[in-house]
Amino acid sequence: MPAVTASLDRAGTADDVLVLGLRLRDENAYLALVRRHTPLMVRVARSILGNAEAAEDVVQDTWVAVLRSIDRFEGRSTFKTWLMRILVNTARGRRMREARTVCWSTQPADAPVWDAVLAGRSAEAAGPLDHAIAVEAWEVIRTALAGLPDRQRVVVVLRDVEGSTSEEVRALLGLSVGNQRVLLHRGRVRLRALLGPDAVDAVGA
């Protein structure tokens, strides 16, 4: 059977079209979905596990699960929401199995430049000095993030680092409106306390 999405521009193709191709075992549709969603998946997995290698493993396991269960995807939510639910559950399962303390690794190259925003600089305009400040700022931030309880950290990362809406976070994590709001508020308050005035000065805020 010819690939149903062979003539489409993958970068501009909607997820539902690519999912249709995936159901028909179109490898190009699968690769397009992987390229589109993997960067966010890696960052969310790292926010749960705190370890780059473990996050990569969880992402791979998630895509395997997607391939196995795509025929059962009913479209009641968006593909992205369904995918991220599988990811979050897979990451939580791994964390529970390992039952160990994890630490944060270095900032991924494709991560949003949250540190540049905190330092009052745009990512596009950053020069060598700005980059050095940004790296230092991220080290301060990620150290503070590691001090948050797991659920607060995931919500803060999704809302304040990834820019997800409250509706998206609730759908991904299965939270009520009130729970999402409380976790975000407590996470932000705790993060501010962990950063402290000296840390805030260090990132240029």
Side-chain angles (χ1 to χ4, degrees):
M1 175 181 296
V4 295
T5 57
S7 63
L8 296 175
D9 175 8
R10 296 304 188 285
T13 303
D15 274 359
D16 55 355
V17 176
L18 294 174
V19 168
L20 174 60
L22 184 57
R23 290 183 191 276
L24 296 175
R25 304 305 185 259
D26 179 356
E27 184 178 357
N28 289 326
Y30 170 70
L31 293 175
L33 288 168
V34 169
R35 286 192 296 268
R36 179 174 297 174
H37 294 292
T38 292
L40 174 60
M41 294 169 68
V42 171
R43 294 194 292 270
V44 172
R46 286 185 57 173
S47 75
I48 297 172
L49 298 167
N51 178 279
E53 184 177 354
E56 294 283 355
D57 289 343
V58 163
V59 169
Q60 292 181 20
D61 290 344
T62 299
W63 283 117
V64 170
V66 167
L67 289 173
R68 290 175 175 170
S69 57
I70 188 61
D71 291 332
R72 297 194 297 274
F73 173 55
E74 299 178 351
R76 295 179 181 177
S77 63
T78 66
F79 173 77
K80 178 181 177 181
T81 296
W82 180 70
L83 171 68
M84 297 303 292
R85 282 175 179 166
I86 296 174
L87 174 79
V88 169
N89 289 335
T90 303
R92 286 174 171 171
R94 174 164 180 142
R95 185 184 61 192
M96 291 177 64
R97 289 194 303 271
E98 292 180 347
R100 62 181 176 81
T101 302
V102 297
C103 61
W104 283 62
S105 58
T106 58
Q107 180 190 21
D110 57 355
V113 190
W114 194 35
D115 44 15
V117 174
L118 288 178
R121 299 170 172 83
S122 67
E124 293 79 5
L129 178 58
D130 295 308
H131 177 72
I133 294 174
V135 170
E136 180 181 358
W138 177 257
E139 292 297 321
V140 173
I141 292 167
R142 73 181 179 85
T143 298
L145 282 169
L148 297 182
D150 291 340
R151 297 181 72 197
Q152 292 178 18
R153 182 172 66 244
V154 174
V155 171
V156 169
V157 168
L158 286 171
R159 288 296 308 276
D160 293 343
V161 180
E162 298 299 335
S164 300
T165 66
S166 61
E167 291 79 8
E168 290 172 335
V169 173
R170 295 201 309 272
L172 293 176
L173 303 180
L175 300 173
S176 67
V177 174
N179 284 341
Q180 192 271 163
R181 184 182 299 118
V182 169
L183 287 169
L184 179 62
H185 173 72
R186 290 179 177 175
R188 285 172 171 170
V189 170
R190 188 177 180 91
L191 183 62
R192 190 180 298 275
L194 288 170
L195 285 171
D198 292 338
V200 170
D201 290 341
V203 299

